[in-house]
């Protein structure tokens, strides 16, 4: 019989990030560190936009960083939704088509 592991209580952000190396997926600590890094990036980019009087290159870089942030957030949300929909191991057998419904190659 396989036993399910109980969720481990959070021991802090740094410990969560270190533990995420050995676990599949993304945990709360990694998300927090990543979002703080993006917040710092946007803070610096918005300052640079102000300091360079709306330099087109800095504005373009800010848009690219915004797109990266949005796509990473979207991927994490979709990944979590996919895990929620996936049945647990052993509870459902993979569906296969009967041999009579398979197309025969000539």
């Amino acid at each position: 019989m396989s036993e399910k592991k109980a969720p481990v209580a959070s021991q802090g952000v740094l410990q969560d990030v270190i533990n995420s190396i050995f676990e599949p997926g993304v945990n709360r600590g990694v998300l927090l560190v990543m979002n703080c890094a993006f917040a710092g990036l946007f803070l610096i980019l918005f300052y640079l936009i102000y300091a360079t009087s709306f330099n087109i290159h800095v504005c373009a870089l800010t848009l690219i960083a915004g797109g990266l942030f949005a796509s990473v957030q979207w991927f994490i949300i979709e990944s979590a939704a996919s895990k929620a929909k996936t049945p647990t191991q052993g509870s459902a057998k993979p569906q296969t088509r009967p041999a009579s419904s398979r197309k025969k190659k000539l």
Side-chain angles (χ1 to χ4, degrees):
M1 296 279 166
S2 63
E3 295 180 19
K4 293 184 179 181
K5 292 182 180 179
V8 179
S10 178
Q11 298 175 355
V13 175
L14 183 61
Q15 190 66 36
D16 284 346
V17 172
I18 293 171
N19 287 340
S20 73
I21 296 170
F22 305 108
E23 299 171 356
V26 181
N27 62 24
R28 184 189 62 81
V30 173
L31 288 176
L32 181 64
V33 169
M34 183 186 67
N35 288 336
C36 288
F38 270 113
L41 173 66
F42 286 123
L43 184 68
I44 290 169
L45 286 173
F46 288 135
Y47 170 75
L48 284 174
I49 287 174
Y50 171 75
T52 61
S53 301
F54 292 90
N55 182 324
I56 188 71
H57 298 96
V58 178
C59 292
L61 187 58
T62 304
L63 289 175
I64 291 170
L68 175 65
F69 177 72
S71 65
V72 167
Q73 294 296 319
W74 172 81
F75 181 78
I76 290 170
I77 291 168
E78 289 297 318
S79 177
S82 174
K83 283 183 183 178
K85 290 180 184 177
T86 305
T88 59
Q89 292 179 346
S91 65
K93 294 181 181 178
Q95 296 179 357
T96 58
R97 295 188 308 188
S100 61
S101 67
R102 293 184 187 143
K103 293 182 180 180
K104 294 181 181 179
K105 293 184 180 180
L106 297 174

